[in-house]
Amino acid sequence: MKSLVRYTVGIILVCAILMYAASVMDQTSGKSGKDILTIYNWGEYIDPDLLKQFEKETGIHVIYETFDSNEAMMTKIEQGGTSYDISMPSEYTIEQMKERELLLPIDYKQIPNIKNIDEDFLNLDFDPKNKYSVPYFWGTVGIVYNSKMLKGQNFDSWDDLWDPSLKGKVILVDSAREVLGVGLNSMGKSLNSTDTDELKAATDKLIKMAPNVKAIIGDEVTQLMVNGDASVALTWSGQAADMMYENEDLTYNVPSEGSNLWFDNMVIPKTSKNVAGAHKFINFMLDPEVAAQNADYVGYSTPNKAALKLMDPEVVNDERYYPSKEVRNNLHVYKNLGKEKIGEYNEFFLKFKMSIR
């Protein structure tokens, strides 16, 4: 009797799976590569309503997938299992993808809305003349903290994270470049240092901070800070914006020694089967109203100068999200340091993590 039940349940499950697969296939049946656009983006990094709007305006069906690291994204594109048409890598990854010939050049004749991008965010070192990428979002790395729980502390210096009063209170992001960057910045060294002695010194200094570290985690930090379960964290400006929206006791600061200025750009992988559709999508995202809506939803800073005029002045004029040129001059963009040196960063980061009990 039990065998019969298991057999029946098995048939039902198989039928359910087949029905689901059929429904998915039905959505895209009859569509060619020109009718489908496959997008590969960071999680929570676009307003879903805009995807629906793009589909409605163009008749192109969007397939949307997400990744949680530049490295995972690049590996999957390099393997070529899925033909992605659009992705949003960070600046140093764009350099790597160019070197590995994973990108197609941008045809700006198909992107008239490029005129809306602030020139300060064009023709940067990681992609001269923006041959392979178009600005999407930008931001900084800094410290978000609960001013109510940590009275009198403002984290104007990275060294403030070593304060003994913060024992078991500091949360760090699980990323070698960002965490090693804290050590390097605190010593006045370059975020792009390739000097092994400097990296070792930065790691040794970070190990002295170990008693203060509550956890090294990813997106979970948002809820911990919002709920008041943690009081200070290393994070990105947009993630901090989400936290501050939910909890008015939180604020964000970029220490005076400087930090990372990062850029995520839109690219067209060489695997694309809908290059024309990819250009339509990029041009769509550069529309001022679209860019403003997307920035409001995501919380990161938009490079679209036309969009800024449509956004809340309180946000646009807040230097925590839109630092002045003077402040940006003290910030540094990550460079592609090569596979060997990045491996060294990861090794030192692992050494630091192992020091935390």
Side-chain angles (χ1 to χ4, degrees):
M1 187 66 174
K2 290 182 180 180
S3 297
L4 178 60
V5 171
R6 285 198 296 268
Y7 178 72
T8 303
V9 170
I11 292 176
I12 293 173
L13 286 172
V14 170
C15 289
I17 293 170
L18 290 173
M19 288 174 67
Y20 173 75
S23 67
V24 173
M25 290 178 66
D26 186 58
Q27 291 179 24
T28 57
S29 62
K31 292 180 180 292
S32 65
K34 295 181 180 179
D35 301 314
I36 298 173
L37 191 75
T38 305
I39 300 173
Y40 200 25
N41 196 3
W42 298 90
E44 302 278 325
Y45 213 34
I46 195 170
D47 185 341
D49 289 340
L50 292 175
L51 297 178
K52 296 176 184 177
Q53 182 180 331
F54 176 76
E55 287 183 322
K56 185 176 181 179
E57 289 184 8
T58 64
I60 298 174
H61 175 73
V62 173
I63 297 175
Y64 191 80
E65 296 184 20
T66 63
F67 57 84
D68 57 11
S69 74
N70 280 294
E71 291 69 29
M73 175 275 305
M74 186 168 64
T75 297
K76 196 167 182 181
I77 287 178
E78 194 166 24
Q79 290 174 344
T82 302
S83 299
Y84 294 109
D85 300 299
I86 289 283
S87 191
M88 288 77 164
S90 302
E91 66 294 309
Y92 69 93
T93 308
I94 293 172
E95 284 190 278
Q96 293 175 327
M97 296 178 82
K98 284 164 50 182
E99 289 178 0
R100 301 183 190 185
E101 299 183 345
L102 298 177
L103 302 176
L104 296 177
I106 305 294
D107 179 7
Y108 284 98
K109 292 179 182 178
Q110 300 183 54
I111 308 179
N113 281 334
I114 190 66
K115 65 184 179 183
N116 296 320
I117 298 297
D118 189 323
E119 291 185 359
D120 285 348
F121 301 104
L122 295 172
N123 196 32
L124 299 178
D125 290 344
F126 63 88
D127 186 20
K129 298 183 179 180
N130 291 90
K131 184 176 180 180
Y132 295 98
S133 69
V134 178
Y136 183 60
F137 279 120
W138 65 280
T140 59
V141 171
I143 299 171
V144 63
Y145 61 98
N146 191 310
S147 57
K148 190 174 182 179
M149 294 172 68
L150 299 176
K151 296 179 180 179
Q153 291 173 289
N154 55 21
F155 299 94
D156 282 337
S157 170
W158 287 112
D159 282 339
D160 292 338
L161 290 174
W162 278 261
D163 191 315
S165 68
L166 297 178
K167 185 175 181 179
K169 296 181 178 180
V170 178
I171 291 181
L172 301 175
V173 295
D174 192 6
S175 175
R177 291 296 291 267
E178 275 70 25
V179 175
L180 265 292
V182 170
L184 290 167
N185 270 142
S186 71
M187 301 188 305
K189 304 299 181 181
S190 169
L191 286 178
N192 296 301
S193 175
T194 57
D195 187 309
T196 299
D197 289 337
E198 289 183 357
L199 295 177
K200 182 180 183 303
T203 303
D204 290 341
K205 183 172 182 178
L206 286 169
I207 289 173
K208 293 179 182 178
M209 190 217 293
N212 288 2
V213 179
K214 179 183 180 74
I216 299 179
I217 52 179
D219 291 338
E220 306 95 318
V221 64
T222 297
Q223 212 54 49
L224 288 174
M225 292 298 296
V226 169
N227 293 343
D229 295 325
S231 55
V232 57
L234 175 71
T235 189
W236 295 274
S237 52
Q239 191 173 33
D242 289 340
M243 299 178 200
M244 290 187 287
Y245 179 79
E246 298 289 339
N247 187 335
E248 62 182 16
D249 293 330
L250 300 178
T251 190
Y252 175 78
N253 193 34
V254 176
S256 59
E257 296 94 340
S259 184
N260 169 232
L261 177 65
W262 58 261
F263 301 93
D264 287 340
N265 283 17
M266 294 179 279
V267 300
I268 304 176
K270 70 173 185 179
T271 57
S272 176
K273 291 184 178 180
N274 190 358
V275 177
H279 281 85
K280 286 182 181 179
F281 181 80
I282 293 174
N283 194 57
F284 170 79
M285 294 306 299
L286 298 191
D287 176 85
E289 291 187 1
V290 169
Q293 179 178 329
N294 202 33
D296 285 338
Y297 178 88
V298 174
Y300 283 100
S301 305
T302 178
N304 193 309
K305 61 185 178 184
L308 295 176
K309 299 175 183 178
L310 306 175
M311 295 172 60
D312 184 345
E314 286 191 17
V315 173
V316 173
N317 295 323
D318 191 331
E319 290 204 359
R320 291 177 299 180
Y321 312 122
Y322 291 90
S324 65
K325 285 187 179 181
E326 182 180 10
V327 173
R328 294 205 302 266
N329 286 338
N330 197 34
L331 304 176
H332 304 280
V333 179
Y334 290 142
K335 294 180 179 178
N336 172 24
L337 303 180
K339 187 175 182 179
E340 183 177 341
K341 189 55 62 172
I342 290 300
E344 190 173 2
Y345 268 74
N346 290 333
E347 288 175 9
F348 278 120
F349 183 43
L350 179 60
K351 180 181 178 182
F352 166 60
K353 289 200 287 187
M354 291 177 66
S355 72
I356 299 170
R357 295 180 175 83

